Amino acid sequence: MKNKSLISITDYSKAEYLRLIEIAEEFEQNPKQQLLEGVVIASLFFEPSTRTRLSFESAINRLGGKIVGFTDAASSSVKKGESLKDTILTVSNYSDLIVMRHPLEGSSRFASEIAPVPVVNAGDGANQHPTQCMLDLYSIKKTQNTLDNLNVALVGDLKYGRTVHSLMMAMSNFNATFNFISPDELSMPDTYKNYLDDQGIPYYEHDNLEEAIPHADIIYMTRVQRERFSDPIEYEKVKNSYVLRNSMLDQTKDNMRILHPLPRVNEIHEDVDSNPKAYYFQQALNGVYMRQAIISSILGLK
């Protein structure tokens, strides 16, 4: 993985997923390792983010590295009209690795093709979010003791949800069975369903959440993303399509765990938080260990 950009979850193999999970386990046991002494990492967030950005910054700081960059495109030369190409080529002079979030699909791939340093995609539009996917895999492995033969329920915005797209692609390597629960307006795109069809991987589509979750090992809830809708009226129609409540969990499997990439709005009621099956806050912590693993691997330090 040395010097290898991470743009899509499909850039890495199943063996590389498993190797990163092993490294993340090492960091969980010993998170403060000064591997990045003298290393500068650029953090370019053209789109607002709290959890992903802070998780990367926490990982870099715990590894002893330095961070340069910006948290809002409005505070960078982009506001003056600078192109993405010029920003990437300039910032590459100042850093050993670039972490980038951008609202446009394909922007991270473009950056990786022109940058002389590795690029890590921290989310590009509705396309991919590979580091979130890797921490999701790590969370699933921790809670289920395996990644193989699991029943995974993906709930909510499956049309624009880059996290569910990445997770579906990754879990397809582990003989998963998928249940897609969404309103018609936000159903899983045909591109991803065609991929599963081609691989012979089973999936089922539902509009009733309670009917779909009793057999799930993982329930992956997602937020309906207001920022992806050009018409506010369309957002209002679907924003509260599914709300997971504690009373709905009685008939679920003992090993089942609830994941969410966060932030949540209304899709998980707060009465779920105290249920032992709620795992989304631990999942966020796992992101630090996994991002330590990804950065140190790309830089050839692990």
Side-chain angles (χ1 to χ4, degrees):
M1 288 174 270
K2 185 177 181 180
N3 293 323
K4 185 176 180 179
S5 292
L6 176 55
I7 305 303
S8 166
I9 195 63
T10 56
D11 290 343
Y12 283 4
S13 66
K14 178 180 177 179
E16 287 172 324
Y17 300 161
L18 297 174
R19 175 57 185 150
L20 285 172
I21 287 172
E22 290 178 356
I23 298 172
E25 289 172 342
E26 295 176 15
F27 279 117
E28 182 166 0
Q29 296 300 315
N30 181 18
K32 295 181 180 178
Q33 302 184 40
Q34 300 297 299
L35 299 176
L36 297 187
E37 186 174 357
V39 173
V40 177
I41 294 180
S43 173
L44 308 184
F45 277 71
F46 294 85
E47 184 182 65
S49 167
T50 302
R51 275 142 297 276
T52 300
R53 180 174 61 80
L54 293 181
S55 177
F56 268 110
E57 291 183 0
S58 178
I60 294 165
N61 279 306
R62 289 183 184 186
L63 291 170
K66 302 294 184 184
I67 303 167
V68 297
F70 51 82
T71 60
D72 182 351
S75 64
S76 75
S77 290
V78 172
K79 190 175 182 180
K80 301 175 183 175
E82 184 177 59
S83 68
L84 177 60
K85 176 183 177 182
D86 286 3
T87 300
I88 295 300
L89 291 178
T90 302
V91 172
S92 296
N93 293 323
Y94 310 145
S95 59
D96 302 291
L97 181 148
I98 294 173
V99 175
M100 188 176 98
R101 168 169 287 195
H102 199 286
L104 294 180
E105 296 181 21
S107 54
S108 292
R109 180 68 70 192
F110 171 74
S112 72
E113 290 172 350
I114 62 171
V117 299
V119 175
V120 174
N121 180 8
D124 61 334
N127 185 31
Q128 290 275 328
H129 198 344
T131 64
Q132 174 71 45
C133 182
M134 283 307 310
L135 80 87
D136 292 340
L137 290 182
Y138 184 51
S139 299
I140 293 170
K141 173 69 163 45
K142 281 187 65 176
T143 60
Q144 306 298 316
N145 294 318
T146 182
L147 289 171
D148 295 312
N149 305 311
L150 297 175
N151 187 309
V152 180
L154 303 176
V155 186
D157 180 0
L158 307 187
K159 179 179 181 181
Y160 299 112
R162 56 195 172 200
T163 60
V164 293
H165 298 163
S166 296
L167 183 60
M168 191 215 76
M169 297 294 285
M171 286 300 293
S172 67
N173 288 280
F174 298 94
N175 197 35
T177 297
F178 296 100
N179 286 279
F180 301 146
I181 303 106
S182 71
D184 288 342
E185 298 90 335
L186 298 174
S187 63
M188 183 66 76
D190 287 343
T191 299
Y192 295 99
K193 291 188 286 188
N194 291 340
Y195 174 83
L196 295 180
D197 287 335
D198 291 343
Q199 301 296 315
I201 298 170
Y203 67 87
Y204 305 93
E205 295 184 273
H206 311 266
D207 56 16
N208 186 305
L209 177 58
E210 290 187 78
E211 288 180 3
I213 61 176
H215 302 294
D217 298 299
I218 294 292
I219 299 176
Y220 195 96
M221 299 295 296
T222 64
R223 172 177 64 97
V224 176
Q225 304 171 87
R226 182 199 301 266
E227 63 271 27
R228 305 298 179 206
F229 287 79
S230 57
D231 184 348
I233 295 175
E234 293 302 312
Y235 169 74
E236 292 296 322
K237 288 181 182 176
V238 296
K239 67 177 184 180
N240 292 322
S241 296
Y242 301 105
V243 179
L244 187 67
R245 298 179 182 277
N246 198 43
S247 58
M248 300 164 64
L249 303 175
D250 293 343
Q251 302 304 314
T252 56
K253 296 167 69 172
D254 291 341
N255 67 296
M256 188 278 289
R257 292 295 179 271
I258 303 158
L259 303 185
H260 191 305
L262 300 177
R264 69 172 161 181
V265 183
N266 298 318
E267 58 277 4
I268 300 179
H269 194 277
E270 288 189 1
D271 69 3
V272 176
D273 293 356
S274 59
N275 192 306
K277 296 177 181 178
Y279 194 74
Y280 27 92
F281 293 119
Q282 295 96 321
Q283 177 189 3
L285 173 59
N286 292 338
V288 177
Y289 308 132
M290 178 50 73
R291 287 173 174 127
Q292 286 180 296
I294 291 169
I295 290 169
S296 59
S297 296
I298 290 175
L299 293 176
L301 303 171
K302 281 284 186 179

